[in-house]
Every structure is written in structure tokens, then in C-alpha cells.
Amino acid sequence: MIPRTLFEHEHEEFRKTTRRFLADECMPHHEQWEEDHLVPRAIWEKAGELGLLNATTPEAYGGLGLDRRFSLIVGEEVTRVSASGLIGFGVHDIVAGYLNNFGTEAQKQKWLPKMAAGTAIAAVAMTEPGTGSDLQGVQTRATLVGDDYVINGSKTFISNGTNCDLVVVVAKTGNTGKGSQDISLIIVEGDRPGLSKSRPLRKVGLHAQDTTMLFFEDLRVPKENILGGVPGQGFFQLMKELAWERLGIAGNSIAGAQAVLEHTLEYTRGRTVFGKPIFDFQNTRFKLADMKINIAVGQNYVDKCMALCLENKLTPEASAAAKLWCSDLYSKVVDECVQLHGGNGYMLEYPVARHYLDHRVLRIAGGANDIMKELVGRTL
Amino acid sequence: MEYLIPRTLFSAEHEDYRRLAQRFLADEVLPFHAQWEKEKRVPREIWRRAGELGLLLPCIPEEYGGYGADRLYAMVIGEEYMGSGASGLGIGFGVHALVAGYILHYGSEQQKQTWLPKMVCGEAIGSIAMTEPNTGSDLQAVKTRAVRDGDEYVITGSKTFISNGVQSDLVVVVCKTGTTGTAKDISLIIVESGRDGYAKSQPLEKIGLHAQDTCMLFFDNVRVPCSNLLGPEEGKGFGQLMRDLAWERISGAIGFQAQAEAALRHTIDYTKGRTVFGKPVIDFQNSRFKLAELKAEIQIGRSWVDSCMELALRNELTPEAAAMAKHWTAELSLRVVEECLQLHGGNGYMTEYPIARLFLDTRGNRIWGGSREVMKEIIARTL
């Protein structure tokens, strides 16, 4: 309706590459990955070869030095096909962002080239069994003993938890009681003694995504592993790119909703009931028309936010509004589309059923939508 | 209301013009609007005053007495009239602009010279007669007929829901001039008030928009010269009505969006000032969350309307994108107003409060300019 003007020729080529990779290398095996609750490391390496992992990492550190539209495209395409196993690419890219923005030279040299290549897989450990969006309630503690930090605590809902070679751990290093100043981000290598991982957690959807708990028991890392080398910066480091991260979720939501709409258009045109295609009933057409309108309107807002993001002008509140509205929309669209599929919509053989399972987390992850309302509420 | 992402459409001149409109509304309109609602009309002096200030038809070319301004000026006044709650002006001036557009695009030089300068200065008020007692969105079912008799058309039929009907000096009548049974039967003909056989009803009693004079029109063998036909030949009416549909729909959306923003603004103010159980209403989480949801939706609507406007300025706005805007913002305005009225409690039910008037004034948004259902049909065709 209103053409997207965000992308240039290179972006469209990149999108084609991403689509081809997903169609040829991922989707034929995805069901197996869902059973395994894991994506093979070879797929990460293949994605790395194609430049799909950390497009914005500078060339000096093994990346492509591209703009964030490329990252947006990967998220959109992964969500379109509900390749839940690759949702972890987004988390991996967020960790690359932490390193790019705040890492010491040694940290960057050590991790970024491997991450871009897909030979090192990254996770971030924020949530704890007793703490979700309220970061200042984190209990995991890192205590300086000599030249090492000794870490104790538990983390949960860790995407890439099984596969990860490094995990950025949100831990308390201070005792001021002033919350944010006590928090640091510490890089923990996957093979450190004292780190153990749970079996993959059983989830509503995203079955191919390896999501685990992590346990830290007197785990020692050198103090150089603190992100950026200075303690007490964690809160700020986590916040810096939140607007972008949430916008990514909004963009994925719109892409997912659009894909579901397309599946449903095709299905309702092909399926006959009471002597005519489902599509030819007015109720169907009106419902689909409403979805099309909402998706178009949401896409327009996401793209405007993205244009601001590229200029570093996107505010956390504008992004929170995008995340809130677009992930809610995806839920509404997918629910209506399951309905229009009838019984088939309940069968996982149909893409719409997989979207139904996979999408639900988007209203929770990246800051629950209730938190988004708090953020937008502050601007009232 | 502070926007979450900045608007980029307007220049400093547009903003000056906005301040002019705001001053006019605050000083000369809003203090008297309740009285006009009782009288079911906006006084003609206000039309003339708006004309004098250039706040009526900014986009008409200078050769016809206008200012030749770009459509952002029309957007500015649309936002201000509808957002301020001056619904008598918002709808009436909007219809007036529509009629001026038809005359500008299809009128003969004579028709343009006769009407446009007067319409720009508010001396002549325009209206358009489409709907009939038995025909709404389905234009081809129009029954009003114009039969040629020598150099004259003889018009017979009834029209209803005519905005500016009571006060209008000219009405563009949608009527049938042919009998082929197709869209080619439809023509637009200008009828001046005072013609023999042309009568108007009392203002219709409506849910809202009380200052807007809306009435029925009756044509009983009304004779007008053939030169009153809009366009060079008969049978072009349907195309003429369609040509600027994208702009007409986005004009509607501009007003609806402004109403939604106004409702939120009033409600933020109200909930900050009103205390219940020992704290301001806005300090309850439910209030904040509801208002935050509305603010997010409003922002998303704002982005769409402004994007449509950018396209409209380049003549690239499609009727479908505009239909989306019309439909989406109509629904938005109703949702927002409904929630905001609730947050006002009992006061929200009192028409002393702007939110109550918005509640009454917005309900038609989902109906006119193409009903919700017609908009959905239009979008559904693009699926």
C-alpha cells in the first residue's frame, strides 16, 4: 500500500541470500532440530560464511561492517519461516553489539571474528529463577578474589544455552545497594569449570531453540573478563542498545504476521466450503483486509523507527511502543489465521500452527509488553 | 501530546498558519460553539471571518481568489478544527473544500469565476448531495434524475444527510442523466439555492455534530441551465467523484487522527488533576497502561497518516492506502474516545467535558466518507 523505502539494492540481495539459506539449508531439517532442541553448529558456521550472523561487526573484527538494516533483514526472514532454531542468531548479534560497543581490544579480538564466523556461539544470561524484567533484583554475584572473579548463582531462559561458547553474565559486583551501580557484565567461557547447563527447557514453541538454565558454582574467571574492563557498567551497557533490540522484535513481529497472512490467503483461496472458496465469504475477506491494514500500518511505523535508529535518534519509548503494538498485532493475526484454517490450522504440518506456537514469546521477551506500557506511560 | 517520533512534514510557515488557526478557534469559535450547537449551525459571519483569515480554502489558486497553498495547509486546518472540538467547522468546512475541489477540477471557466472567489472568502457556502433516502454508498442506485429540456435540466428527486445543507448557496447534485444502467448515467449538476422547486428540510436531529447543519433536500422539477453541468459533457459524474477520492479519504483520516490525539490529551490532563482514593487517577497502573496503549496506537496512526500525506503531496497516494488510513483512524478515534471517556468517570458523561462531545462527534467517523464495510471491501480487493 505504501511501498517500503528503507532498503537499497544490496539489502535486497542480502535478503535473497538469507531466504535461500533458510529454504535450502534449514527448513528441510528443521523438524529434526525441533526434536533435538538444537541446531547443528555447522549451520552456524554456514550462516557465518554467508555473512548472516554479525553483519554490523566491523571488518577489522571479521564482520562486514554493514548497517543494521542487514540485521533487521535476518530477523525478518527467520521469523517469516518460523525457523525457531535460528532465533538465537538475534541473541548472538546482541552479544556482538555489547562487545563492539564496550569490549576491550583483547575481548574484541578474541571473540568477534569467531562469532562472525559462527565458530563461537554467544549467549546472554540475565533472567534468574526469581528475577525477570527487574534487573536490579539479580542475585548472581561475582566476588573479586585476587585477580579472579568468583561467580555464584543461577540463570534461566538462556537462549543458545546448550550451544554457547561464551555467555555474558549479568552479575552483582558491588554492594552500594544503589542497584544499577552494582551490576557488571562478565564474559564466561563455555568450558569453565563450575559452569553447568540444564537440559533444554520444554517450551510452548521455539522447539529448535536451545534454551536452558545455567548454574555457576564458584566459577572463576580472570578479572579481565569483565566487559570493558571496568566493573559497575553493566546496567548502562545493557540499556545502550535496548531501543534497537526491541525494534528488532517489532520488525520480526510484522514479518511473522505478514507471512501468516500470506499463508492464509493461499489457504482460503484453495479451500472450498459450502461450494465456494473460503476466501469468497465476506467475513473472511473483511478479516483478512483488517489484518492487511494493521500490518501495513505497523510496518510503516517500524520502518520510520528504523530510519531513526540508523541515525541513532530512536528513543527507548518510541521503540517500546513499536515492540508493544507489533507483537500484540502478531498475536491477533496468528490467532485469527488459525481460525480461518479451521482444523488444519491446529495441525503443525501447517505453517500457521507453528507460528501460533512460536510467536507467543515475543510479547514477553525483550521486556514484557507490560514493561513496554510502563515505558510509554512515563511519557504521558 | 508529545509525539514519540518527531513529525517532519511542516515548515515554519505551516506552523505560523497553525497558530493563526488556533487563535481564531480560541477567540472566535470555541467560546460560542455550544450556542451554535443549540442553533444547529455555524453563523455565516464565522464562514466569512474564516475566509478573511485565509482559513477556509487555502489551496485554491490565486487566480480564483485563493492562496495557491500546498495541501499541508489544508491538513493544518483540518487538524485544528477537528482536534479543537469545533466539529461544526471541521465537517462543514471540509465538505465546502470538497465542493470547491470539484469546481476547480471540472468546472467551466465561468463556473470557477462565479463560485470559487466567493467560496474562498466564505460568501458562498458549498454542499454536495449524494446520498438519498434509499441509497448510501451504492452510488449507481441513485434515483434523482435530471432530464434535458431545451437549454435546461429539470431535476427531480430527494437527497439526505447533506452537510451545510441549510446554509448552502450551491449544491452539487449527483443525478442520473442517462438510462444505460451503467456508471455513465451519472452527472454532477450545480443547483443554486432559491431555484423554484428546490426545498430544504429542517436540520436533522443527530447523535453528535450538533453545530453542523445537516438536512434533506428536495428537488421538484427544479430547472437549471445546462451550463450548470459540471464538466464538458454528461455522464462523467462517477469518474469526477472518484478522481480525488484518495485525498478526500486522507482528509477524513487527518481529522479522525486529530480527534484521537485530542481525546488522549484531554484525558492525560484530566487524570493528572483528578484524585481518587488519595492519589491522582493517572498514578494507578491501570490508567497508565491504558493511556500508554492508546498513545502507542495513536503514534502508529500518526506515522501512517503523515506517510500518506507525503505521498499525497507527490500525487502518489493510492485510494487504497487512503482507504486504510480512513478506516484505521476512524476505528482508532472510536476506541480511544471510548477508553478515555471511561477514565473520566461520571464527568466523561457530561457534555461540559470535551471527551463527552468527542464521544458524540466521532461515531459518524465509521460511517461517512465510505463506511467501515465499504473500506474493507476496497482493501479486500487488493488481497
Side-chain angles (χ1 to χ4, degrees):
Chain A
M1 285 299 127
I2 293 188
R4 295 185 80 177
T5 53
L6 191 59
F7 301 110
E8 290 157 40
H9 179 69
E10 308 86 87
H11 298 105
E12 294 308 339
E13 290 302 311
F14 186 80
R15 189 184 292 281
K16 280 184 207 151
T17 304
T18 311
R19 280 194 182 181
R20 228 175 6 248
F21 167 70
L22 290 167
D24 297 348
E25 319 254 356
C26 300
M27 298 325 286
H29 315 290
H30 203 269
E31 218 174 306
Q32 182 60 47
W33 302 348
E34 290 175 23
E35 277 170 35
D36 300 343
H37 299 293
L38 199 68
V39 172
R41 296 187 66 101
I43 286 296
W44 284 82
E45 286 167 32
K46 180 71 183 172
E49 261 171 54
L50 293 170
L52 305 183
L53 286 179
N54 301 138
T56 58
T57 292
E59 290 177 80
Y61 300 109
L64 300 172
L66 298 171
D67 68 68
R68 288 214 149 119
R69 285 172 286 185
F70 291 90
S71 311
L72 180 69
I73 286 170
V74 175
E76 286 178 350
E77 292 305 321
V78 166
T79 312
R80 270 186 71 83
V81 294
S82 230
S84 63
L86 307 184
I87 292 291
F89 285 9
V91 172
H92 184 76
D93 206 29
I94 285 171
V95 174
Y98 294 153
L99 286 161
N100 276 310
N101 282 334
F102 306 111
T104 61
E105 190 56 31
Q107 288 165 346
K108 290 185 191 183
Q109 295 286 0
K110 178 171 180 188
W111 293 112
L112 287 171
K114 284 188 196 163
M115 284 175 66
T119 51
I121 297 174
V124 56
M126 259 186 258
T127 304
E128 300 186 354
T131 309
S133 299
D134 175 20
L135 265 188
Q136 302 190 17
V138 155
Q139 302 288 315
T140 298
R141 183 160 282 283
T143 312
L144 197 57
V145 180
D147 284 340
D148 287 346
Y149 275 107
V150 179
I151 304 176
N152 280 290
S154 308
K155 296 284 182 179
T156 192
F157 309 155
I158 311 305
S159 304
N160 301 337
T162 306
N163 261 335
C164 66
D165 303 291
L166 72 154
V167 53
V168 172
V169 179
V170 180
K172 282 216 164 130
T173 46
N175 283 308
T176 68
K178 282 187 189 162
S180 61
Q181 294 175 28
D182 293 340
I183 292 191
S184 301
L185 302 189
I186 302 175
I187 301 168
V188 173
E189 296 85 346
D191 55 3
R192 288 272 173 195
L195 170 63
S196 53
K197 302 172 173 182
S198 75
R199 294 163 52 83
L201 298 169
R202 299 279 163 172
K203 305 187 294 300
V204 167
L206 301 179
H207 292 142
Q209 168 58 49
D210 56 318
T211 307
T212 67
M213 298 181 75
L214 299 179
F215 307 100
F216 305 89
E217 196 179 354
D218 291 329
L219 180 143
R220 295 178 90 94
V221 292
K223 69 174 196 272
E224 291 74 29
N225 274 26
I226 211 148
L227 183 71
V230 183
Q233 303 293 308
F235 200 75
F236 164 71
Q237 290 167 339
L238 288 171
M239 293 300 134
K240 171 111 191 321
E241 303 285 3
L242 264 181
W244 151 245
E245 292 159 23
R246 287 178 178 148
L247 181 61
I249 295 176
N252 294 351
S253 297
I254 295 295
Q258 174 67 28
V260 168
L261 173 63
E262 287 167 18
H263 287 303
T264 309
L265 284 169
E266 195 186 332
Y267 181 82
T268 55
R269 285 190 166 119
R271 171 92 176 179
T272 296
V273 60
F274 299 117
K276 59 179 180 179
I278 295 172
F279 181 81
D280 287 348
F281 288 85
Q282 194 176 42
N283 175 67
T284 311
R285 284 205 322 285
F286 278 17
K287 285 220 186 291
L288 293 169
D290 257 338
M291 291 179 212
K292 179 169 176 170
I293 297 168
N294 281 320
I295 291 167
V297 170
Q299 184 73 76
N300 180 259
Y301 182 63
V302 166
D303 286 0
K304 281 196 173 172
C305 285
M306 191 64 193
L308 288 171
C309 181
L310 294 172
E311 300 170 44
N312 289 316
K313 287 183 188 160
L314 180 65
T315 64
E317 293 79 12
S319 164
K323 196 264 178 189
L324 166 65
W325 197 84
C326 296
S327 59
D328 276 354
L329 175 67
Y330 190 10
S331 271
K332 285 179 212 149
V333 167
V334 80
D335 190 64
E336 290 279 11
C337 285
V338 165
Q339 192 65 27
L340 288 170
H341 276 73
N344 284 328
Y346 202 67
M347 299 298 134
L348 290 176
E349 179 193 342
Y350 284 81
V352 70
R354 302 162 79 92
H355 279 274
Y356 187 75
L357 295 180
D358 289 344
H359 89 281
R360 185 60 182 82
V361 75
L362 295 180
R363 280 158 57 198
I364 301 171
N369 281 9
D370 316 86
I371 302 292
M372 299 306 104
K373 291 178 197 173
E374 283 290 355
L375 291 172
V376 177
R378 281 177 208 160
T379 71
L380 292 169
Chain B
M1 195 195 81
E2 157 210 356
Y3 294 106
L4 293 170
I5 62 179
R7 297 185 74 180
T8 53
L9 278 175
F10 301 110
S11 68
E13 288 78 23
H14 296 119
E15 294 304 344
D16 285 343
Y17 186 68
R18 185 186 296 281
R19 277 188 288 278
L20 176 69
Q22 286 170 343
R23 224 173 18 244
F24 167 62
L25 285 163
D27 297 345
E28 306 187 44
V29 173
L30 296 174
F32 312 103
H33 203 269
Q35 180 59 33
W36 303 344
E37 291 179 19
K38 287 196 190 118
E39 295 163 5
K40 299 203 175 60
R41 53 132 192 75
V42 173
R44 292 190 76 104
E45 307 86 78
I46 289 298
W47 285 81
R48 283 193 286 266
R49 180 66 179 143
E52 197 185 335
L53 292 169
L55 294 171
L56 204 44
L57 295 171
C59 306
I60 296 295
E62 290 178 57
E63 52 188 309
Y64 302 114
Y67 302 86
D70 65 62
R71 280 185 158 169
L72 289 170
Y73 287 86
M75 184 182 205
V76 166
I77 52 178
E79 288 176 356
E80 293 305 321
Y81 294 151
M82 294 295 273
S84 68
S87 53
L89 276 59
I91 304 288
F93 286 16
V95 168
H96 183 72
L98 215 85
V99 174
Y102 292 143
I103 294 174
L104 179 67
H105 290 129
Y106 313 116
S108 63
E109 193 53 35
Q110 175 66 37
Q111 287 167 341
K112 291 187 211 179
Q113 295 291 356
T114 303
W115 292 113
L116 290 177
K118 284 189 197 163
M119 288 179 76
V120 168
C121 65
E123 285 299 332
I125 298 177
S127 64
I128 177 146
M130 261 185 259
T131 304
E132 300 187 354
N134 293 310
T135 309
S137 300
D138 176 18
L139 267 187
Q140 300 193 23
V142 155
K143 294 259 190 282
T144 299
R145 185 161 284 286
V147 180
R148 182 128 186 198
D149 180 25
D151 288 342
E152 291 181 326
Y153 284 111
V154 183
I155 303 174
T156 301
S158 308
K159 296 284 182 178
T160 192
F161 309 155
I162 311 306
S163 304
N164 300 339
V166 178
Q167 300 203 95
S168 65
D169 301 288
L170 74 153
V171 55
V172 173
V173 181
V174 179
C175 47
K176 283 208 167 143
T177 45
T179 52
T180 67
T182 67
K184 289 181 184 151
D185 294 342
I186 302 225
S187 300
L188 305 186
I189 300 177
I190 298 171
V191 176
E192 302 88 343
S193 286
R195 291 266 176 202
D196 282 345
Y198 173 26
K200 301 174 176 186
S201 76
Q202 290 287 308
L204 298 169
E205 301 283 341
K206 306 187 294 298
I207 286 179
L209 301 176
H210 296 309
Q212 169 58 49
D213 66 323
T214 307
C215 71
M216 298 179 73
L217 304 180
F218 308 101
F219 304 90
D220 180 10
N221 289 303
V222 177
R223 287 181 171 267
V224 295
C226 286
S227 57
N228 276 22
L229 176 73
L230 211 50
E233 55 190 290
E234 290 176 7
K236 300 291 182 197
F238 199 77
Q240 290 169 341
L241 289 171
M242 295 300 132
R243 179 186 175 273
D244 224 9
L245 218 50
W247 168 248
E248 289 162 21
R249 287 181 184 146
I250 196 67
S251 303
I254 287 165
F256 305 161
Q257 176 71 29
Q259 287 176 317
E261 291 177 7
L264 180 64
R265 210 166 48 231
H266 291 307
T267 310
I268 292 171
D269 287 348
Y270 181 83
T271 54
K272 280 180 176 164
R274 173 86 177 182
T275 296
V276 60
F277 300 117
K279 59 180 179 178
V281 174
I282 201 171
D283 287 350
F284 288 84
Q285 193 176 42
N286 178 66
S287 312
R288 271 202 327 284
F289 277 22
K290 287 248 183 270
L291 291 168
E293 284 169 34
L294 298 178
K295 182 162 179 170
E297 281 190 273
I298 285 172
Q299 179 61 54
I300 286 161
R302 169 51 63 207
S303 290
W304 184 262
V305 171
D306 284 2
S307 290
C308 284
M309 195 61 195
E310 278 171 29
L311 291 169
L313 292 171
R314 299 200 301 263
N315 287 317
E316 288 170 14
L317 179 65
T318 63
E320 291 79 14
M324 281 188 180
K326 191 266 163 186
H327 169 56
W328 204 88
T329 54
E331 296 302 314
L332 174 74
S333 64
L334 285 165
R335 244 185 347 261
V336 170
V337 166
E338 163 66 27
E339 289 284 1
C340 285
L341 185 148
Q342 188 65 27
L343 287 169
H344 278 72
N347 283 329
Y349 201 66
M350 301 299 132
T351 49
E352 176 193 342
Y353 284 81
I355 194 66
R357 301 155 91 93
L358 279 166
F359 183 76
L360 297 176
D361 288 347
T362 48
R363 185 56 183 85
N365 295 357
R366 188 184 265 157
I367 300 172
W368 58 66
S371 69
R372 168 177 63 186
E373 290 68 25
V374 169
M375 293 302 110
K376 286 193 190 184
E377 282 291 354
I378 289 164
I379 308 305
R381 278 180 219 144
T382 72
L383 288 168

